[in-house]
Amino acid sequence: MEKKGSSSKMNIAIIHPDLGIGGAERLVVDAAMELTSLGHKVHIFTAHHDENRCFEETLSGVFDVTVYGAFLPRHIFYRLHAVCAYLRCLFVALCLLLMWPSFDVILADQVSVVIPLLKLKKTAKVVFYCHFPDLLLAQHTTALRRIYRKPIDFLEEITTGMADLILVNSRFTASTFAKTFKNLDARGIKPAVLYPAVNVDQFEKPNDTKLNFLSINRFERKKNIELAISAFATLHTHGMHDDRGVNMDDVSLTVAGGFDNRLRENVEYLEELKKLAEREGVSQRVRFITSCSTAERNALLAQCLCVLYTPKDEHFGIVPLEAMAAYKPVIACNSGGPVESVRHGVTGFLCDPSPREFSLAMANLIQDPHMAEKMGQDSHEHVTRSFSTKIFGQHLNRYLVDAARGKKE
């Protein structure tokens, strides 16, 4: 029976709010690609899919992508983002419910409010992938915000608990889930950990490494990109003219990442970072690149010495995996998901989130290029063993097949 179930082919729907180019979107695309390669029929439903700003695989025709509700607003005068996101996702779920035949499994990503609606499809099992509790990501800084968020936060816990299976992206998120959704934890509802992955086959061993540090992240304040700029400035301030003949004029920083000019935070934060580089006196050595393609990102990874990953308490973080798969060591904060993906002293360095600590780790790699090369090789092998898309697909397939079988029993 186990063998039969594991080889069954299913119709799988995936609901995702906005099919852009972030880490959550990368996971959804990887899931669709791997499940399709295993013989399943996969269909992604979303409220937004810009063909000029998306992962190339979503245009390949390997799996279907259908957009519902693109006309609905993302915000109302830059307010009510959460309510608008809920309404857009509910509209997508309603269209799926009314206009499409039965699916064996529906994988809901990020937004749990759609789960009660999806449960009306009695023949389908509903699996929810929780990247991180939204109530912890939202601001509760004023009394009005707390009043606004209270029903939303309540709905998040109630609807999350209605899923037939809950997946999270790291042990860190699993522990946070238990502390945040105490009622669910008390009821014995425990999420399973499914790590995101990276396609290691897209990277070749580089042979033209430059003295360039690379930061890749969406231009959002929670990504703490200013740490990379300040650490780079600290590195320059202390200087690196040593017996090895390193010239700091040859050392640079590239700040690249997802950028959407529809989002005010993206626009404002990019300007803040540029002004910070000017104040720190390193603007001539810092290059900003917005919304680079996969090919451009891979070229940046191939040429850099190391990747700086600056978010603190990040629930997982796909960038460290991409960097290590590209034979590059990673310098990351010693908290959250990177603690589970980066091996300190082997595939990079886990540091306190301060410019001084980051700059010391950066100096180590500049002073010892052989260390950087050895860490890069170890990084690629580490990701291949533990975080490849093939491994991810096998684990996800097992969860979904078992979920579907549980519905039929």
Side-chain angles (χ1 to χ4, degrees), residues 30-73:
D30 288 339
M33 292 294 291
E34 291 303 312
L35 291 171
T36 300
S37 73
L38 293 170
H40 302 301
K41 174 70 174 176
V42 180
H43 197 140
I44 296 181
F45 297 88
T46 184
H48 183 79
H49 181 221
D50 182 351
E51 294 187 357
N52 296 314
R53 185 181 175 274
C54 63
F55 289 114
E56 289 89 340
E57 295 93 331
T58 65
L59 306 175
S60 66
V62 173
F63 51 85
D64 294 326
V65 176
T66 298
V67 178
Y68 291 120
F71 63 90
L72 294 169

Side-chain angles (χ1 to χ4, degrees), residues 161-172:
M162 296 176 68
D164 297 298
L165 173 65
I166 302 167
L167 302 173
V168 292
N169 56 12
S170 65
R171 294 194 302 271
F172 172 73

Side-chain angles (χ1 to χ4, degrees), residues 210-216 228 232 235-236 248 250-256 285 287 300 303-308 329 331 358-359 361-367:
K210 301 177 181 178
L211 290 177
N212 175 254
F213 292 96
L214 175 64
S215 167
I216 304 178
F232 180 70
L235 186 70
H236 270 268
M248 284 305 295
D250 297 329
V251 182
S252 60
L253 170 67
T254 299
V255 178
R285 296 186 178 93
R287 180 171 57 142
L300 291 172
Q303 295 172 4
C304 76
L305 176 70
C306 168
V307 169
L308 308 179
I331 300 174
F358 264 63
S359 67
M362 294 161 72
N364 285 336
L365 294 174
I366 290 178
Q367 291 174 327

Side-chain angles (χ1 to χ4, degrees), residues 110-152:
Q110 288 190 309
V111 179
S112 63
V113 73
V114 300
I115 295 173
L117 204 55
L118 300 176
K119 293 282 284 184
L120 295 176
K121 270 194 177 295
K122 301 297 184 181
T123 57
K125 198 80 167 180
V126 179
V127 177
F128 179 58
Y129 197 97
C130 175
H131 296 262
F132 208 66
D134 183 61
L135 67 89
L136 297 181
L137 299 175
Q139 295 182 359
H140 297 71
T141 50
T142 65
L144 186 60
R145 274 190 171 276
R146 287 191 290 271
I147 293 171
Y148 161 67
R149 284 294 313 189
K150 195 170 185 63
I152 295 175

Side-chain angles (χ1 to χ4, degrees), residues 26-35 38 107 129 167-169 194-198 321 385-399:
R26 182 69 259 174
L27 182 140
V28 165
V29 171
D30 288 339
M33 292 294 291
E34 291 303 312
L35 291 171
L38 293 170
L107 176 62
Y129 197 97
L167 302 173
V168 292
N169 56 12
L194 175 65
Y195 286 119
V198 63
L321 294 190
R385 285 193 308 269
S386 303
F387 297 102
S388 68
T389 50
K390 182 178 180 180
I391 296 296
F392 166 80
Q394 291 172 352
H395 291 167
L396 176 60
N397 181 66
R398 188 188 71 241
Y399 283 128

Side-chain angles (χ1 to χ4, degrees), residues 120-358:
L120 295 176
K121 270 194 177 295
K122 301 297 184 181
T123 57
K125 198 80 167 180
V126 179
V127 177
F128 179 58
Y129 197 97
C130 175
H131 296 262
F132 208 66
D134 183 61
L135 67 89
L136 297 181
L137 299 175
Q139 295 182 359
H140 297 71
T141 50
T142 65
L144 186 60
R145 274 190 171 276
R146 287 191 290 271
I147 293 171
Y148 161 67
R149 284 294 313 189
K150 195 170 185 63
I152 295 175
D153 297 344
F154 174 77
L155 270 177
E156 182 182 8
E157 180 166 8
I158 293 297
T159 55
T160 296
M162 296 176 68
D164 297 298
L165 173 65
I166 302 167
L167 302 173
V168 292
N169 56 12
S170 65
R171 294 194 302 271
F172 172 73
T173 300
S175 65
T176 304
F177 183 100
K179 287 184 254 183
T180 305
F181 299 134
K182 295 179 181 177
N183 290 332
L184 301 185
D185 188 60
R187 288 164 48 195
I189 297 177
K190 309 285 187 184
V193 175
L194 175 65
Y195 286 119
V198 63
N199 178 11
V200 296
D201 296 332
Q202 66 184 302
F203 300 106
E204 296 181 359
K205 192 169 184 178
N207 52 22
D208 185 26
T209 298
K210 301 177 181 178
L211 290 177
N212 175 254
F213 292 96
L214 175 64
S215 167
I216 304 178
N217 257 312
R218 292 191 305 278
F219 285 93
E220 297 176 356
R221 294 183 180 91
K222 66 183 180 182
K223 299 302 183 180
N224 196 27
I225 302 171
E226 60 266 25
L227 174 57
I229 296 173
S230 296
F232 180 70
T234 301
L235 186 70
H236 270 268
T237 300
H238 289 287
M240 286 297 307
H241 302 276
D242 64 357
D243 294 337
R244 299 178 188 273
V246 177
N247 186 344
M248 284 305 295
D249 290 337
D250 297 329
V251 182
S252 60
L253 170 67
T254 299
V255 178
F259 180 86
D260 188 342
N261 57 19
R262 298 173 301 163
L263 300 178
R264 184 167 66 175
E265 182 185 12
N266 283 188
V267 176
E268 291 177 350
Y269 192 43
L270 176 59
E271 287 305 310
E272 291 170 14
L273 293 172
K274 288 180 177 179
K275 290 178 181 178
L276 174 62
E278 291 177 3
R279 289 198 306 271
E280 295 278 15
V282 293
S283 59
Q284 298 302 312
R285 296 186 178 93
V286 179
R287 180 171 57 142
F288 293 91
I289 299 176
T290 57
S291 299
C292 55
S293 67
T294 299
E296 291 169 331
R297 180 209 64 190
N298 289 355
L300 291 172
L301 285 169
Q303 295 172 4
C304 76
L305 176 70
C306 168
V307 169
L308 308 179
Y309 193 66
T310 51
K312 182 182 177 184
D313 292 330
E314 181 77 350
H315 33 282
F316 183 72
I318 196 66
V319 170
L321 294 190
E322 293 172 337
M324 291 186 289
Y327 297 87
K328 301 299 177 179
V330 177
I331 300 174
C333 296
N334 55 0
S335 62
V339 175
E340 299 172 46
S341 62
V342 178
R343 297 178 60 195
H344 180 67
V346 178
T347 69
F349 298 101
L350 297 169
C351 305
D352 289 337
S354 71
R356 172 176 167 75
E357 291 300 314
F358 264 63

